Amino acid sequence: MATIKNVLFNMGVLDDLAMKETSIHRIHPLIKLLTTVVYLTVVVSFGKNEISNLLPFFLYPVLIMVFAEIPVVPILNRMVLVTPFIIGIGILNPFFEVQTVVVFGTSISQGWFTFVSLLLKSALTVAVSLMLIATTGMNQLAAALRMLKVPKIFVLQLLLTYRYISVLIEELSRMVRAYSLRAPGQKGIHPRVWGSFVGQLLLRTYDRGSRVYESMNARGFSGEYHRGNISKLKGKDIAYFLSWSLLFMLARLYDLPLLIEALIFSMGGE
Amino acid sequence: MEHPILEVKELHFSYPDGHEGVKNISFTIEQGESVGVIGSNGAGKSTLLMLLLGIHFPDGGNVFVGDVEVTKKTLPLIRQRLGMVFQDPDDQLFMMTVYDDVAFGPRNYQLDEKEVDSRVIRALDLVGIPHLKDRAPFKLSGGEKRAAAIASVLSMNPDVLIMDEPTAALDPKSRRRLIGLLNSFNHTKIITSHDLDMVWETCSRVIVIKEGEVAADGPTMDILANEELLDSCGLELPLSLQNCPVCSSRKVHEKIKLRGVNG
Ligand SMILES: Nc1ncnc2c1ncn2[C@@H]1O[C@H](COP(=O)(O)OP(=O)(O)O)[C@@H](O)[C@H]1O
Ligand SMILES: [Mg+2]
C-alpha cells in the first residue's frame, strides 16, 4: 500500500523543511508560535459570510512560503487531506440558507458565500499551521510551549504523540504489506479481518511504544524532556511579531481590498 | 577495584503470564571483559539484559553494578553506567534528528549544552557517522541506524556497553564494520547473539543460556569449539570453525592454535 508509506515519508518532509536555515527559520520559535496564534484568532473571528475581507490574509502564508523556501506541493497535499471534512461540513449551507443574493444578475443562495468563506478560512488556518511546523520543527515548538509555561506533561504528550503517529503508521504498513503479499489481487483489506487487524495494530503499537519508552528510560529519561539551548529573544523578533499583529488587526478592522480600490479610484479621479 | 563491574546472583524471573524467562542465573563480569551471551531464540537472553538494566525486576536474586544493587532507587545511577543498545534500533531512535537522539541521554543527565555537544560529536565520530547528524533517524539504512543507536548510548559514557543481537538484520559489509567498531571500544562489553562468528571475533568469554539457565560459561575458544555443547543448546559451530565443505580441511584445530599463539 504505497499511500501509507507516503504518509510516513511526507511526515518527514515537514521535519526536513524545519531544518532549513532561512531568515524565517531563524526567527525565535516563541515569536512564530505567537504570531500564528494571533493570525488564527483573527481569521477565525470573521463573520460567516465574509470573503473579500479574508483575501489580504493570503499575504502572510505566501510571504512565509517564499522567504522560508517552502515548496507548495507538500503543503497543498496536506491541505487536500482535510478538504473532504470541510466540504462535508459546509456543502449543505447553499441548500439550507433561504436568503438569496443577486450576483451578476442571477440570484444565488447566500449559503454559497458561507461555504466559500468556510473554505477560505480553513485553507488559511491549515496552511499557516503547517507552515509553523515546517519553519519551526516540533522540538522547538515544544520548547516555545514550555516558555509559555504550558505544563511539561502536556508538551511531552504532544511530542510523543507526534512520534507515535509514525510508529503507528510503520506498524500499519508492515501489517498491510504482510497481508497483501498473501492476498494477491485483493484490493484493500477484507472486512472479515478488520477486527483482528485493528486489534493487532493496537497491541503491536502498544508493544512498540513500551519498547520505545523502555529505551528512553534506559538513557536516563525521568519524565522531563530536556531540550537543547534556545536562543534569546531579540529586538527584531519582537518587531516581527508586532508588525504582523498590527497588519492582522488592520485587515480585521478595515476592508483593505475596498480601501485600496477606493484609493485607486480617488487617484484616478485626480 | 575490589568489586567486579557486574555481579549477578541467583537471578530468577517469571513473566506475568507465568512463563519462566530466567532461572537461577549467576555470574560475575570483571572490568574490561567482553562477554558473549549466546543461546537459541527464546533462550532468555533479552530477558536477562532487561533484568541487568532494571527494566524488569527479578522475583529472586539480585544484580550488582560495581557495589550498587539494581533497585528502583538506584536506577538513574545504574543506567548511566550501563549503556544498552536495543535489538531493534527503531525502538531506540525516536527524535527528529540523529543529533537529538544522541544528545537525548546526556541532556537527561542535565549536562550543559557545550558538554552535550562535545559528547555527541565524539560519539558520532566513534561510530563513523558524523555526516548523518542532521538526518532523520527513520530514513537511515539498517547499518546506519545501528551505528546511530550505538552512538546514542556511547554519548552517555557508560562503563559497560550492552548490546542485544547487534548484527541481526545487517548486510555482510555493515556487519563487518560493526565487528571492527566493537573491537575498537575499550568498554566492558556484553553482547547477546546467535551470530557465533561475530561472538568469536569480538568476545573473549562466552556464557551459554539454555531455557533460561546458564548451560556453560568459559573462554570463547573452548565453548565455541565444543560442537556437542552447542548442539545441545540449539546452536551450531561458528561457520569459520566448521570444516571446509570443499577441501574438508579441519579448521577448528588450526584456528584455535592460531588464536592461542596470538594471544
Ligand atoms: N512479554 C513477555 N511475556 C511473556 N513471555 C515472554 C515475554 N517476552 C518474552 N517472553 C518469553 O520469554 C522467553 C525468553 O525470551 P527472550 O529473552 O526474548 O529470548 P531471546 O533469547 O531470544 O532474547 C521466550 O520463551 C519468550 O517467549
Ligand atoms: Mg532477544
Side-chain angles (χ1 to χ4, degrees):
Chain A
M1 213 177 202
T3 47
I4 292 179
K5 267 287 175 210
N6 280 349
V7 173
L8 182 62
F9 183 76
N10 284 340
M11 295 222 346
V13 170
L14 283 188
D15 298 333
D16 281 352
L17 287 173
M19 229 101 75
K20 286 192 168 192
E21 290 254 346
T22 69
S23 50
I24 302 286
H25 286 79
R26 274 193 289 272
I27 291 167
H28 198 280
L30 183 59
I31 292 297
K32 278 182 280 192
L33 176 65
L34 290 178
T35 311
T36 306
V37 170
V38 173
Y39 180 92
L40 296 181
T41 317
V42 171
V43 167
V44 171
S45 75
F46 274 105
K48 63 174 185 159
N49 290 327
E50 289 178 84
I51 292 177
S52 77
N53 277 345
L54 282 169
L55 297 179
F57 285 86
F58 276 92
L59 185 69
Y60 177 67
V62 167
L63 284 185
I64 298 275
M65 215 173 230
V66 171
F67 284 104
E69 296 167 14
I70 293 178
V72 181
V73 175
I75 299 289
L76 278 185
N77 274 342
R78 284 172 183 67
M79 287 170 63
V80 167
L81 274 183
V82 294
T83 35
F85 298 102
I86 307 296
I87 292 178
I89 294 167
I91 193 63
L92 290 179
N93 277 333
F95 305 101
F96 283 142
E97 193 89 42
V98 279
Q99 279 174 327
T100 56
V101 238
V102 179
V103 181
F104 299 126
T106 43
S107 91
I108 59 169
S109 160
Q110 171 114 43
W112 284 110
F113 284 88
T114 322
F115 181 53
V116 172
S117 176
L118 184 70
L119 271 186
L120 280 181
K121 275 186 216 160
S122 59
L124 288 172
T125 48
V126 172
V128 166
S129 311
L130 288 172
M131 266 174 239
L132 176 65
I133 300 178
T135 58
T136 314
M138 223 40 185
N139 288 340
Q140 297 261 312
L141 219 51
L145 287 172
R146 284 295 286 140
M147 284 177 192
L148 290 177
K149 303 275 179 259
V150 175
K152 70 181 175 204
I153 188 77
F154 292 122
V155 175
L156 196 68
Q157 193 76 18
L158 177 75
L159 269 179
L160 294 185
T161 308
Y162 189 66
R163 277 291 81 175
Y164 188 76
I165 294 171
S166 64
V167 169
L168 191 84
I169 293 171
E170 253 173 78
E171 289 299 339
L172 183 62
S173 75
R174 281 186 207 183
M175 286 173 64
V176 172
R177 195 183 324 139
Y179 178 90
S180 57
L181 284 178
R182 282 180 291 159
Q186 194 174 315
K187 269 225 169 83
I189 304 217
H190 199 280
R192 205 178 44 228
V193 296
W194 281 3
S196 70
F197 220 78
V198 170
Q200 269 283 319
L201 183 66
L202 283 181
L203 286 177
R204 277 176 180 233
T205 43
Y206 177 78
D207 256 18
R208 177 84 190 278
S210 45
R211 285 201 305 275
V212 170
Y213 182 65
E214 278 163 10
S215 92
M216 291 169 73
N217 278 337
R219 287 188 281 161
F221 181 73
S222 53
E224 170 84 80
Y225 173 74
H226 299 279
R227 62 201 155 74
N229 275 352
I230 294 275
S231 51
K232 284 228 162 68
L233 272 181
K234 292 196 208 71
K236 71 174 183 214
D237 290 323
I238 295 177
Y240 177 90
F241 173 70
L242 289 181
S243 40
W244 275 120
S245 303
L246 188 68
L247 192 65
F248 298 154
M249 296 296 178
L250 284 179
R252 176 69 183 91
L253 295 177
Y254 303 99
D255 191 335
L256 287 189
L258 265 183
L259 278 183
I260 292 170
E261 200 182 8
L263 200 68
I264 292 172
F265 271 120
S266 69
M267 284 199 308
E270 271 173 40
Chain B
M1 248 204 216
E2 312 125 57
H3 291 280
I5 198 149
L6 190 74
E7 188 171 9
V8 173
K9 284 187 195 158
E10 295 167 7
L11 210 57
H12 190 101
F13 176 75
S14 309
Y15 278 103
D17 62 2
H19 184 94
E20 289 185 297
V22 163
K23 304 173 207 163
N24 196 30
I25 287 186
S26 302
F27 58 82
T28 57
I29 291 177
E30 301 292 336
Q31 176 87 39
E33 269 192 300
S34 46
V35 180
V37 175
I38 64 173
S40 56
N41 285 329
K45 306 181 295 288
S46 303
T47 310
L48 176 62
L49 297 189
M50 301 286 182
L51 289 167
L52 298 186
L53 236 68
I55 291 173
H56 300 325
F57 288 97
D59 318 322
N62 13 41
V63 178
F64 288 91
V65 177
D67 52 357
V68 183
E69 184 176 356
V70 177
T71 61
K72 282 222 164 73
K73 270 200 185 132
T74 57
L75 279 186
L77 185 67
I78 299 298
R79 286 168 173 177
Q80 204 168 13
R81 292 201 180 167
L82 307 183
M84 165 98 168
V85 180
F86 281 66
Q87 181 165 349
D88 185 351
D90 283 325
D91 292 342
Q92 191 147 7
L93 305 169
F94 55 87
M95 301 287 276
M96 306 296 171
T97 65
V98 171
Y99 184 99
D100 281 337
D101 246 318
V102 178
F104 180 77
R107 279 177 184 160
N108 281 331
Y109 286 96
Q110 316 229 9
L111 302 173
D112 71 88
E113 202 58 20
K114 246 198 197 141
E115 169 71 9
V116 171
D117 186 67
S118 82
R119 283 196 186 198
V120 172
I121 300 295
R122 206 180 43 194
L124 289 175
D125 274 341
L126 267 176
V127 300
I129 54 164
H131 54 288
L132 298 179
K133 77 180 168 63
D134 293 326
R135 293 278 298 278
F138 69 86
K139 286 192 200 159
L140 304 180
S141 77
E144 291 168 339
K145 272 185 193 171
R146 181 75 58 179
I150 295 174
S152 76
V153 166
L154 288 180
S155 63
M156 296 173 63
N157 289 348
D159 296 333
V160 185
L161 196 56
I162 300 180
M163 289 197 219
D164 199 1
E165 312 213 6
T167 53
L170 287 190
D171 65 33
K173 274 243 171 68
S174 314
R175 177 178 168 278
R176 176 56 45 204
R177 207 173 303 129
L178 179 70
I179 291 174
L181 191 62
L182 292 182
N183 281 331
S184 72
F185 297 149
N186 301 320
H187 297 81
T188 309
K189 277 169 281 192
I190 303 175
I191 302 173
T192 77
S193 193
H194 34 229
D195 177 353
L196 299 193
D197 290 274
M198 185 267 295
V199 172
W200 173 266
E201 290 188 54
T202 53
C203 300
S204 54
R205 172 179 164 199
V206 168
I207 298 174
V208 187
I209 309 272
K210 183 187 177 186
E211 290 164 15
E213 291 177 287
V214 175
D217 180 352
T220 304
M221 260 193 287
D222 298 349
I223 295 203
L224 292 192
N226 187 340
E227 196 163 1
E228 211 174 312
L229 169 69
L230 293 179
D231 196 53
S232 73
C233 297
L235 297 163
E236 273 187 348
L237 277 183
L239 287 175
S240 60
L241 294 191
Q242 286 180 17
N243 298 337
C244 172
V246 182
C247 64
S248 354
S249 67
R250 306 268 308 157
K251 281 195 183 164
V252 170
H253 303 291
E254 284 167 29
K255 280 257 178 175
I256 288 176
K257 244 188 288 164
L258 264 179
R259 238 183 121 130
V261 172
N262 289 343

